[in-house]
Amino acid sequence: NFHTTSANNWQVGTGMMWAVSQAAPLRRVHVDNDLLLFEYVPPYGAAGYASGGYIGNSQVDGTVVAGSQQQFMARNTKMSTWSGGVW
């Protein structure tokens, strides 16, 4: 998902994984459950790499889980909680 963009009003009902790098934006989405900002494959504890991104004009009803994400910017976004982060 290197240099990927997701935009336009769409809704995700079971949660979402957005493991990206290089300021890849996620805009105008409504995630009904958790949003993972890193690659995670259960049951392994190690996370894949992800570095930088942007969430704008969105809503996350669950937890935004940063995991191995190093930096991420959110603007005009409603989220219930934020968990984790590397730095």
Side-chain angles (χ1 to χ4, degrees), residues 28-51:
R28 295 183 298 278
V29 296
H30 180 182
V31 181
D32 283 343
N33 209 324
D34 295 340
L35 172 62
L36 304 180
L37 298 178
F38 65 102
E39 182 181 17
Y40 172 67
V41 181
Y44 305 107
Y49 295 108
S51 177

